[in-house]
Amino acid sequence: MIWRFAALILLLAGPVQASECREAEYADTPYALCEVDLTQTELRLFLRNKNGGIHGYFSSVNSDLAAEGKKLGFAMNAGMYHEDRAPVGLYLENGTQAQRLITADGPGNFGLLPNGVFCIEKGRAAVIESRAFARQPRECTFASQSGPMLVIDGALHPRFLIDSTSRFIRNGVGVSADGRKATFVISRKPVTFHAFGTVFKDSLKIPNALYFDGNISRIYAPQIGTSGLGWQSLGPIVGTVVPAE
């Protein structure tokens, strides 16, 4: 199956930039993708604003970044959260832990083991199954735990059903084998877990990928004219940080 890109110019533009977003179609379903080169681009997680409150919206993150002379290049919601927007599982921001790692099974998508951790280190990233992370923790500067895993060592999550009737707008992240490229994907119409995981496994050929959330999933991507506006506030947010000019 081949991706059909919305604009041919994207295929002819030369080498992939440090961060590039585009619209695409796979298996007759539209998606938006943002690829981030971790060796060239700063990628962060955001939860609370400078006053200690939950950001909740991409605009709040941009307001705080403006004080640094920076802004978001792209961003999306990055993990499940409680009603107060606190992360359900492990959350690290600038090396400070706001929530502990959860390795027990449980209800909902988060508890559909195996789940995993998206870990951002200097110049690289990783998606790691949670119990493996517990056995051998990484020195993450930023980390967000979510679930379920979409792809584990090249295989789809074993509990995904091809004939499932559960369909939502879904978003997630996959990381290349060398850790240098993170690919963020959001469906543009409701899809099953099986269909969404297959995007990472079969089309993007990504060995490990993690589900962030569904239904409330949003993306901020000015490159493709997407503002990420929505009435419901978010929990953890992941995004690239670029100069404001």
Side-chain angles (χ1 to χ4, degrees):
M1 183 66 67
I2 299 174
W3 285 91
R4 296 203 297 271
F5 296 103
L8 181 61
I9 191 171
L10 292 175
L11 295 176
L12 305 177
V16 174
Q17 299 174 359
S19 177
E20 180 184 282
C21 297
R22 60 183 182 264
E23 301 280 4
E25 186 175 286
Y26 178 70
D28 299 320
T29 301
Y31 294 89
L33 302 87
C34 289
E35 295 178 323
V36 177
D37 183 342
L38 279 300
T39 67
Q40 299 185 48
T41 305
E42 183 181 6
L43 186 67
R44 300 186 198 173
L45 284 162
F46 306 89
L47 181 63
R48 297 188 179 275
N49 59 35
K50 60 186 178 183
N51 298 318
I54 297 291
H55 276 296
Y57 301 93
F58 303 126
S59 58
S60 173
V61 177
N62 266 328
S63 293
D64 274 10
L65 287 175
E68 304 176 35
K70 297 180 179 180
K71 64 180 181 180
L72 289 170
F74 111 93
M76 70 166 40
N77 53 299
M80 296 178 185
Y81 50 86
H82 297 290
E83 288 188 9
D84 64 357
R85 298 327 188 235
V88 173
L90 177 69
Y91 184 82
L92 291 170
E93 187 171 331
N94 286 319
T96 299
Q97 182 173 307
Q99 180 58 281
R100 66 182 179 87
L101 184 74
I102 305 293
T103 57
D105 59 1
N109 293 328
F110 185 92
L112 187 64
L113 300 186
N115 58 25
V117 175
F118 177 54
C119 168
I120 303 172
E121 302 169 305
K122 184 177 177 60
R124 59 184 292 113
V127 168
I128 308 155
E129 188 273 322
S130 295
R131 292 179 176 177
F133 187 93
R135 292 191 297 270
Q136 191 171 356
R138 299 277 286 263
E139 294 295 324
C140 312
T141 305
F142 299 89
S144 181
Q145 184 183 10
S146 192
M149 291 280 286
L150 296 168
V151 184
I152 311 124
D153 296 329
L156 279 182
H157 191 292
R159 295 178 65 180
F160 290 173
L161 302 176
I162 194 168
D163 58 352
S164 172
T165 59
S166 175
R167 297 175 180 271
F168 289 96
I169 301 294
R170 302 186 189 273
N171 74 302
V173 62
V175 177
S176 61
D178 63 8
R180 295 181 179 182
K181 184 175 75 172
T183 302
F184 300 85
V185 180
I186 184 169
S187 67
R188 290 302 205 183
K189 71 177 186 180
V191 294
T192 64
F193 270 129
H194 189 279
F196 192 54
T198 299
V199 170
F200 290 92
K201 173 182 174 288
D202 293 344
S203 181
L204 297 174
K205 308 296 183 183
I206 289 175
N208 290 286
L210 180 65
Y211 180 63
F212 277 152
D213 215 334
N215 199 28
I216 54 82
S217 299
R218 294 206 297 274
I219 184 171
Y220 169 84
Q223 284 185 14
I224 54 176
T226 301
S227 65
L229 293 176
W231 65 269
Q232 187 171 357
S233 64
L234 305 170
I237 291 171
V238 64
T240 56
V241 176
V242 300
E245 304 80 50

